Structures are given as C-alpha cells and as structure tokens.
Amino acid sequence: MSVQAGIEEKLTQQIHPAHLEVINESSNHNVPPGSESHFKVIIVSDEFKGKNLLSRHRLVNKVLADELQNKIHALALHTYTEQEWYDQNEYAPESPPCLGGSKAQ
Amino acid sequence: MDVMERIKQQVEENPVVIFMKGTPQFPQCGFSSRAAEALKACGEQFAYVNVLADMEIFENLPRFADWPTFPQLYVNGELVGGCDITLELFQKGELQKMVKDAVTAGSNAG
C-alpha cells in the first residue's frame, strides 16, 4: 500500500471524516520524483467539535504516529468541523514552498 | 546541561519562543518561514532556536511536548502548535493577542 493510501485508510477508519483530502505535495520539495515525503491533509469531521486546534492536531498526529516517525517528512494539517468547513466555503490554505532545509546538515 | 533541560529553559525563560529550521531572517523551511512571518507581524519581540544549528535539540524536541514536527511555537511555556495552527490563530487575530499578553506579562514580571 502506498503511504498516501495508508494515511487515507487510517484517517477514514479512526476519525470518520465527512470530507478528507490527502494530497501528496512532495513534488514541490527537494526530493526524488515519486516520493511520498510531504503531505497535506484536509480533514472535516465532527470528532473535532469542542476540541481546540492543538487537540485536533494531536489526534491526527496520534493516528499517523508511525507515518510521522518513519515515513513522512512533513504534514500540513487543516482540521475542521462540518460547520466550520461549510462556513469557510470549503477552502483550506495553500502550503508554503520549500526553502531547501529538509535535513539538518 | 541535559538537552531536555536546555529546551525547558528556553521555553520557560522566553514568553514567546519558536523552534524553527533556520532563523527568522533566513528560514530554511517554508513552514518555519510562514510561522516566523506571522510572529514578526505580531509586532512583539520573540526568541527563536534554529534547530538545524543544534542537532541535540533537533533530535529531542519532538518528545519534549510530544509533537512530531517543526516549527514549534511556545507561548508562556505552553506549546501553541506548529505552522498551520500558528497561521490559523494569526488569521483569527488570536495569536496577536496571545503574544502581546505574554510579552507584557513577561516584562512586568522581569
């Protein structure tokens, strides 16, 4: 299974999103073609209701702990409840460009 | 000093501190860059630690507050979050207030 499919499966099973986008943004970064290193996740779920941003991100980080530890380098994360997603017209911010500092040298 | 002690000291001694890749002037990661820009736009002084210049902190910071990625922003000794949270709070106007309150409280105490 690709890293991307693994992320989609885990988030779907454990956070029950009403809307989920897992976008591989690795090609924007200084990594070989076909890499699965940089991802952006937009996840809309009422499991986030009543949780602040830190708790929401912690929840996703926990579900993706293995990926974050062993497989991926960056995860842009945008978490919304169904109402919040509706209120902002289903828009999540763009990720920043790479500036080259992927490794500590 | 133990690396966890060093991180703790940075977090406790600075009302606002960002652990980032590069520096606010020369960020080396798009996420760190954006978070630092948002902090700068708050108009208050803040401290930074370049994790690329300190391998020990680079390797150990993720377990300090159980947060796997960089950058990491701390205000009043508490983890606020990474780039996405920092920006979202900035867009809502909450970061500005949080930073201002922390810096004001810090200067009154010191």
Side-chain angles (χ1 to χ4, degrees):
Chain A
M1 190 191 295
S2 68
V3 174
Q4 179 157 359
I7 292 173
E8 285 167 356
E9 186 177 295
K10 283 185 185 173
L11 291 176
T12 301
Q13 286 174 356
Q14 297 183 48
I15 307 188
H16 314 108
H19 176 79
L20 175 67
E21 288 176 55
V22 178
I23 302 155
N24 185 350
E25 297 188 322
S26 307
S27 61
N28 299 342
H29 297 269
N30 190 18
V31 291
S35 292
E36 292 192 289
S37 56
H38 294 66
F39 283 93
K40 170 176 173 173
V41 168
I42 302 166
I43 181 165
V44 179
S45 168
D46 278 350
E47 306 246 342
F48 296 135
K49 259 189 191 168
K51 291 189 170 77
N52 68 13
L53 290 171
L54 193 71
S55 312
R56 294 177 184 191
H57 284 227
R58 280 201 191 283
L59 178 63
V60 174
N61 287 342
K62 202 172 142 200
V63 171
L64 300 180
D66 174 49
E67 281 76 10
L68 283 160
Q69 176 90 41
N70 303 311
K71 296 174 185 165
I72 67 178
H73 172 77
L75 179 66
L77 194 48
H78 303 286
T79 55
Y80 308 102
T81 62
E82 292 184 34
Q83 187 64 44
E84 288 165 356
W85 182 239
Y86 176 80
D87 287 347
Q88 59 184 23
N89 300 314
E90 309 191 347
Y91 166 80
E94 296 296 318
S95 296
C98 181
L99 298 177
S102 64
K103 295 241 168 30
Q105 302 278 346
Chain B
M1 199 191 302
D2 172 61
V3 61
M4 295 311 251
E5 284 295 316
R6 287 203 294 129
I7 295 170
K8 192 158 174 272
Q9 193 175 37
Q10 289 286 356
V11 165
E12 287 178 351
E13 287 181 357
N14 297 294
V16 182
V17 57
I18 181 169
F19 293 82
M20 62 182 290
K21 291 185 173 177
T23 68
Q25 290 73 31
F26 297 102
Q28 288 185 263
C29 155
F31 296 98
S32 287
S33 172
R34 279 205 184 163
E37 283 303 318
L39 266 188
K40 279 197 245 175
C42 291
E44 302 287 344
Q45 279 209 322
F46 65 91
Y48 71 87
V49 174
N50 177 0
V51 298
L52 296 180
D54 191 323
M55 276 312 291
E56 237 189 2
I57 290 184
F58 180 82
E59 283 165 4
N60 290 282
L61 184 64
R63 65 188 175 96
F64 177 74
D66 188 26
W67 192 263
T69 50
F70 303 107
Q72 296 188 16
L73 172 66
Y74 292 79
V75 174
N76 280 334
E78 300 262 343
L79 176 66
V80 172
C83 169
D84 297 315
I85 292 181
T86 301
L87 290 188
E88 206 170 321
L89 292 175
F90 180 75
Q91 278 147 13
K92 289 180 184 162
E94 292 174 22
L95 186 72
Q96 295 86 326
K97 184 173 184 316
M98 200 185 279
V99 165
K100 188 160 192 282
D101 289 352
V103 171
T104 309
S107 61
N108 287 345

